[in-house]
Amino acid sequence: MRNPFGRRGGSGTDAAHPTAATPHRAARAVVAVVSGALPALAFPAPALWWFAYVALVPWLLLLRTAPTARRGGLEGWLGGVGFMLAVHQWLMPSLHVFILVVAALLGLLWLPWGWLVRAMLADGPSGPRAAAALVVVPSGWLLIELVRSWEGLGGPWGLLGASQWQVAPALRLASVGGVWLVSLLVVAVNTAVALLVVSSAAARMTALVGLVACALVVGTVWWGVAPPRERGTARIGVVQPGVYDGPGGAERRFARGEELTRELAGQNLDLVVWGESSVGSDLTARPDYAERLTALSRAVDAPILVNVDARRSDRPGIFKSSVLIGAQGPTGDRYDKMRLVPFGEYIPARPLLGWVTSVGKAANEDRRRGTEPVVMTVPAEGDRPALRIGPLVCFESAFPDMSRRLTRDGAALLIAQSATSTFQDSWAPAQHASLAALRAAETGRPMVHATLTGISAAYGPDGRRVGTPLGTDRSAATVYAVPLSQTTTGYVRYGDWPLYLALTVLAALCAAEGMGALRRPESELRAPRARTARGSGGRPGR
């Protein structure tokens, strides 16, 4: 059957007629962008989680037929652009045309992956090369996820494994190796399916063995790793005011949060949680706010965790801070957000990129960073035992290492205070809320995701949802009875070992390629000599 994406070699119709090759190149470019965008459908809000296991196949098939390594790299980059645009499309109202620049720059991370896929899958790979592809291609993808997880590049939003947040076996995998292990498995399945579609009989058999191996890994973890043992429950009240903007927005948010919190009185609560930026003034500068919150804590007979988004009175700059309020006032427990949202809360290299404030909703002033994570203690009172909580603010819930650190520091309950209000009518609220499921499963600690305008939700220590979430159309308060656990998961104990495994695989590949080049005879390394019209280029006349 004729290859629909053009020929691999430099000869043939396309090479003989450059004008005929141009439509093929343009068509391939479009297919690359669209193919790269397909995995976004596996994330909320579409939430086609099963699609993640085949979403990369069109892109892989395109890359394997790239006529040159250079073209493979280009189509890897174009697919990366499509992926970044699709997964972050909700940022368009804020970044406008600048999102194209961001996607183009971050898409470069997939350029070497395009080379890698072509090298491993092209020309109907043999059985051994197909087996290598099943570990090399996923390792290359994981390295991309590692690099773009750096806060300065936008953080780990849209990791492929995160699309499996509602799949119980995948959550069990996350408890062993974090979201990284889930990403490895998903890409390995995609690679095996691609090999099944177009490869030789030997490669197909290898792909089938690979699929069986993936199923065995999942089955072994599912049956061999016990879910976290539950020990007691904590009753957590979540207040979602549903107010975020307009004249007097900060005061109206506070007043609505106050009103909803009073509805929770008498419900035997351990803690009440407000969302990100729920308090718009420093409590020292506004003692009336502190007094009102203290009265609320007495009224509901539980401490209140608020989030103050304001210029501090004791040091320069604006901070986003989780502050615990008890019946006697602020307890002194305070966490200042450490990892800020690029462009939303600060502008990287502001002297160079500050102009983006004129074309989007970028931060006019950089917020300040906290210096360390904080585990707070909700004191025991009466029959209520003490509870240690680990707060995170906004997109910090996307970082596996932060929740792992809080768990190792003794947190029994993880809390994310968030506000995706700017992106209310997009996929962002659902995507953000789903991240808490992964963090809970990884750490074996329940997690509560409290927002200003939805989606607020809670998850047990195994990552399964607890109760009913508050959607983006709700202004309400609710109570979640979250099961507690003291189980130490494999991920908490051993950390990001799948990343080290992927790096080892890629290092071994580079070493093997290097050794192969050294062992190759010198005559093979030199380009073949051109032949003359009369005969051999080595000995004229013969």
Side-chain angles (χ1 to χ4, degrees), residues 2 6-17 21 67-68:
R2 188 178 183 274
R7 295 182 179 272
R8 281 191 43 76
S11 60
T13 304
D14 291 352
H17 302 284
T68 64

Short mmCIF file of all heavy atoms in Angstrom, two decimals, residues 2 6-17 21 67-68:
data_model
loop_
_atom_site.label_atom_id
_atom_site.label_comp_id
_atom_site.label_asym_id
_atom_site.label_seq_id
_atom_site.Cartn_x
_atom_site.Cartn_y
_atom_site.Cartn_z
N ARG A 2 0.49 2.24 -0.76
CA ARG A 2 1.31 3.45 -0.86
C ARG A 2 1.24 4.24 0.45
O ARG A 2 0.19 4.39 1.06
CB ARG A 2 0.80 4.33 -2.00
CG ARG A 2 1.72 5.51 -2.29
CD ARG A 2 1.20 6.33 -3.47
NE ARG A 2 2.10 7.42 -3.79
CZ ARG A 2 2.06 8.60 -3.20
NH1 ARG A 2 1.18 8.82 -2.25
NH2 ARG A 2 2.90 9.55 -3.54
N GLY A 6 3.88 10.30 2.07
CA GLY A 6 5.05 10.56 1.23
C GLY A 6 6.10 9.49 1.37
O GLY A 6 6.00 8.60 2.19
N ARG A 7 7.16 9.59 0.57
CA ARG A 7 8.22 8.58 0.57
C ARG A 7 9.26 8.88 1.62
O ARG A 7 9.46 10.01 2.03
CB ARG A 7 8.90 8.54 -0.81
CG ARG A 7 7.96 8.09 -1.93
CD ARG A 7 8.72 8.04 -3.24
NE ARG A 7 7.87 7.61 -4.33
CZ ARG A 7 7.68 6.35 -4.66
NH1 ARG A 7 8.28 5.41 -3.99
NH2 ARG A 7 6.88 6.04 -5.67
N ARG A 8 9.97 7.80 2.06
CA ARG A 8 11.03 7.97 3.04
C ARG A 8 12.33 8.42 2.39
O ARG A 8 13.10 9.15 2.97
CB ARG A 8 11.31 6.65 3.77
CG ARG A 8 10.31 6.36 4.86
CD ARG A 8 10.79 5.20 5.69
NE ARG A 8 12.22 5.28 5.99
CZ ARG A 8 12.75 6.08 6.89
NH1 ARG A 8 12.00 6.91 7.55
NH2 ARG A 8 14.06 6.07 7.11
N GLY A 9 12.59 8.00 1.19
CA GLY A 9 13.88 8.28 0.59
C GLY A 9 13.94 9.61 -0.10
O GLY A 9 12.99 10.37 -0.15
N GLY A 10 15.09 9.92 -0.64
CA GLY A 10 15.26 11.18 -1.32
C GLY A 10 14.94 11.08 -2.80
O GLY A 10 14.98 12.07 -3.51
N SER A 11 14.63 9.88 -3.31
CA SER A 11 14.33 9.73 -4.71
C SER A 11 12.85 9.58 -4.91
O SER A 11 12.07 9.51 -3.99
CB SER A 11 15.07 8.50 -5.26
OG SER A 11 14.65 7.35 -4.56
N GLY A 12 12.41 9.49 -6.16
CA GLY A 12 11.00 9.32 -6.43
C GLY A 12 10.36 10.62 -6.88
O GLY A 12 11.01 11.61 -7.14
N THR A 13 9.04 10.61 -6.95
CA THR A 13 8.31 11.75 -7.48
C THR A 13 8.58 13.01 -6.71
O THR A 13 8.83 14.08 -7.27
CB THR A 13 6.79 11.45 -7.45
OG1 THR A 13 6.55 10.26 -8.17
CG2 THR A 13 6.01 12.59 -8.07
N ASP A 14 8.53 12.93 -5.35
CA ASP A 14 8.71 14.13 -4.55
C ASP A 14 10.08 14.74 -4.76
O ASP A 14 10.23 15.96 -4.80
CB ASP A 14 8.52 13.80 -3.05
CG ASP A 14 7.07 13.47 -2.76
OD1 ASP A 14 6.25 13.65 -3.67
OD2 ASP A 14 6.78 13.04 -1.62
N ALA A 15 11.12 13.89 -4.87
CA ALA A 15 12.46 14.41 -5.04
C ALA A 15 12.65 14.98 -6.44
O ALA A 15 13.33 15.98 -6.64
CB ALA A 15 13.49 13.31 -4.76
N ALA A 16 12.06 14.31 -7.44
CA ALA A 16 12.24 14.77 -8.81
C ALA A 16 11.47 16.05 -9.08
O ALA A 16 11.86 16.83 -9.93
CB ALA A 16 11.79 13.66 -9.77
N HIS A 17 10.37 16.25 -8.42
CA HIS A 17 9.53 17.42 -8.64
C HIS A 17 9.30 18.13 -7.31
O HIS A 17 8.35 17.82 -6.59
CB HIS A 17 8.19 17.00 -9.25
CG HIS A 17 8.35 16.27 -10.55
ND1 HIS A 17 8.65 16.89 -11.73
CD2 HIS A 17 8.26 14.93 -10.83
CE1 HIS A 17 8.73 15.98 -12.71
NE2 HIS A 17 8.51 14.79 -12.17
N ALA A 21 6.37 18.04 -3.89
CA ALA A 21 6.64 17.70 -2.51
C ALA A 21 6.06 18.72 -1.54
O ALA A 21 5.75 18.39 -0.40
CB ALA A 21 8.16 17.62 -2.29
N PRO A 67 10.55 11.51 6.04
CA PRO A 67 11.56 11.16 5.04
C PRO A 67 12.99 11.34 5.53
O PRO A 67 13.89 10.67 5.04
CB PRO A 67 11.25 12.09 3.87
CG PRO A 67 10.47 13.21 4.46
CD PRO A 67 9.70 12.63 5.60
N THR A 68 13.20 12.25 6.49
CA THR A 68 14.54 12.48 7.02
C THR A 68 14.45 12.70 8.52
O THR A 68 13.38 12.99 9.07
CB THR A 68 15.19 13.73 6.39
OG1 THR A 68 14.43 14.89 6.75
CG2 THR A 68 15.27 13.61 4.87
#
